[in-house]
Amino acid sequence: MTTSIGVVREAAVGECRVALTPDGAGRLQKLGLRVVIETGAGESAWFDDADYVAAGAAIGSREQVYAESDVIVCVRPPADARSARTGVMVVGLLGLLADPALAEQLAGAGLTAVSVDLLPRTLSRAQGMDALTSQANVAGYKAVLVAAGAYGGYLPMLMTAAGTTRPAQVLVLGAGVAGLQAIATARRLGAMVTGYDVREAAQADIASTGAAVLDLAATAGNGEGGYARRLTDEEAQAQQGALDAAIGRFDIVITTAQVPGRRPPLLVTVDALDRLRPGAVVVDLAASEFGGNVAGSQPDTTWVTPRGVTVIGAGNLPASVPQAASTAYARNICALLPVLLADGEIRIDFGDEVQAGVVVTHDGTVVHPQVRAALQKKEVRS
Ligand SMILES: NC(=O)c1ccc[n+]([C@@H]2O[C@H](COP(=O)([O-])OP(=O)(O)OC[C@H]3O[C@@H](n4cnc5c(N)ncnc54)[C@H](O)[C@@H]3O)[C@@H](O)[C@H]2O)c1
């Protein structure tokens, strides 16, 4: 029997992405899979039902998608995922390490949960499947546009008959995927860009874009798997003092620094905000309900300090570039699915490094060691 891949319409507020594009649907069908899309699933990303039909997919109600699919692909975890049949695989940015209770629920419903955000990022064969990277790229790009939109000046130097304007000075803190894209985008718009990251390797990456590297003489925080480690209190304090002193000359500051599994480090303090000129703009990509890189920033919230500095806590920026973000995400999904299927059938193999990374629940159990550990920690606390 042909395996069916179902795509549900994203239900989270403000989520405009779709997990599969018409092009992606066509690719999966070439692999011998059937694709069924919920009516209007691609609408907010500007993909019509008719485009999916032209690509060979079927269109159906949400109930039909759940009833007919062996694999459900999504961007965010659907609240009604338990409507899927027992044994169905749910693939998406499920965020199960941060929400192990959801993993337990999905296991209880007999679903095989595949949390794409847990993909091992240093495996070169998994690069094309890396949705964290593809979506961070979109976020880094959009952060610059958001900052430029709120900034009262030009980003480039402009020479006109009426005189010359100076280019904006942009500082990007954190030069992982999003930060490097922000640096590249701000440079394309003509700004004078400076970058900073606590990892030595990232400092070389900044230099390779042609941007200046901010030298804070702070200890390099290289951690595991290419990520930053959490700085010690002394290191963080030294970094803070140096950053506070350096920040005042910038017009736009974009922060993207995260440390896996921990609240993001505070990089722009109240004191630093006070040192910025009136009219300066700060965009915090790391803003979350647990805090961000900027004092007082909240996701999806913009405020202006008494001194006139605009602080923008970014929300779900990839969702605000839905066509490009969905296209990239769908390519990641199309690269990942063949690893989870053998001859078109779901085949779970924990000997495979990619599967061992992303498969969180199977056969009614939470099988992922890190998610299990997170669950146990939660049980001990409650
Ligand atoms: N295929 C691959 O090899 C692959 C794929 C994706 C990412 N990566 C690597 O993983 C790393 C992180 O990726 P990401 O963008 O998802 O990271 P992230 O979103 O977790 O963090 C963003 C950046 O913030 C930096 N940071 C953390 N604490 C900081 C602090 N106190 N001050 C300044 N900067 C701080 C980190 O070093 C990182 O570069 C990068 O090295 C990236 O190249 C590798």
Side-chain angles (χ1 to χ4, degrees):
M1 213 185 69
T2 311
T3 298
S4 285
I5 312 295
V7 179
V8 282
R9 189 182 176 128
E10 296 296 312
V13 178
E15 185 51 79
C16 298
R17 291 171 289 179
V18 61
L20 205 59
T21 55
D23 173 67
R27 283 174 197 227
L28 294 184
Q29 278 165 123
K30 283 198 191 112
L31 297 177
L33 302 164
R34 176 176 179 263
V35 178
V36 52
I37 312 272
E38 181 182 345
T39 311
E43 214 167 54
S44 319
W46 311 107
F47 299 113
D48 267 1
D49 287 353
D51 298 333
Y52 288 103
V53 172
I59 300 288
S61 65
R62 196 170 184 90
E63 292 71 31
Q64 262 171 301
V65 173
Y66 275 126
E68 295 176 12
S69 303
D70 305 296
V71 179
I72 296 282
V73 295
C74 53
V75 179
R76 313 262 289 273
D80 58 353
R82 276 169 291 172
S83 311
R85 291 180 279 112
T86 304
V88 162
M89 181 186 268
V90 180
V91 182
L93 289 170
L94 305 179
L96 296 180
L97 192 54
D99 188 1
L102 177 60
E104 213 168 27
Q105 286 170 25
L106 295 173
L111 302 176
T112 295
V114 174
S115 210
V116 183
D117 42 293
L118 293 176
L119 189 82
R121 301 184 76 194
T122 44
L123 283 184
S124 57
R125 82 174 169 101
Q127 272 177 23
M129 310 165 197
D130 189 345
L132 285 185
T133 289
S134 73
Q135 304 306 293
N137 252 315
V138 180
Y141 160 79
K142 187 64 190 273
V144 177
L145 302 190
V146 167
Y151 180 55
Y154 290 121
L155 264 68
M157 178 171 78
L158 287 188
M159 283 185 271
T160 70
T164 300
T165 61
R166 70 172 180 87
Q169 294 282 344
V170 174
L171 174 64
V172 177
L173 297 176
V177 179
L180 286 172
Q181 184 57 253
I183 290 172
T185 304
R187 277 180 54 75
R188 282 185 206 115
L189 288 176
M192 298 287 290
V193 186
T194 303
Y196 169 72
D197 196 291
V198 79
R199 289 180 298 117
E200 261 161 24
Q203 293 180 7
D205 292 341
I206 297 166
S208 74
T209 67
V213 181
L214 188 68
D215 181 11
L216 293 185
T219 318
N222 298 315
E224 276 171 28
Y227 286 104
R229 68 165 167 80
R230 185 171 175 268
L231 299 183
T232 64
D233 289 349
E234 292 74 36
E235 286 166 349
Q237 242 172 24
Q239 184 192 50
Q240 203 67 78
L243 242 183
D244 281 3
I247 216 162
R249 69 181 166 93
F250 293 97
D251 302 301
I252 292 175
V253 180
I254 296 171
T255 67
T256 75
Q258 299 192 345
V259 179
R262 295 186 177 270
R263 61 174 290 177
L266 179 68
L267 299 178
V268 182
T269 58
V270 174
D271 190 31
L273 286 177
D274 274 345
R275 289 175 193 235
L276 288 165
R277 283 191 284 265
V281 176
V282 182
V283 176
D284 185 358
L285 266 189
S288 73
E289 54 186 305
F290 311 109
N293 293 148
V294 181
S297 74
Q298 295 281 334
D300 276 319
T301 310
T302 298
W303 60 288
V304 181
T305 69
R307 195 172 146 70
V309 173
T310 302
V311 179
I312 302 172
N316 181 356
L317 286 186
S320 69
V321 196
Q323 203 170 53
S326 303
T327 299
Y329 185 76
R331 286 189 188 138
N332 299 142
I333 293 292
C334 289
L336 174 62
L337 282 181
V339 176
L340 300 163
L341 305 169
D343 300 325
E345 305 267 321
I346 296 176
R347 191 203 52 183
I348 299 303
D349 169 13
F350 294 109
D352 177 275
E353 283 175 295
V354 171
Q355 286 212 23
V358 294
V359 177
V360 175
T361 70
H362 187 56
D363 272 346
T365 318
V366 177
V367 290
H368 195 283
Q370 277 170 284
V371 179
R372 280 173 82 108
L375 255 180
Q376 278 159 5
K377 232 177 173 175
K378 205 169 150 271
E379 276 157 18
V380 170
R381 261 192 262 125
S382 54

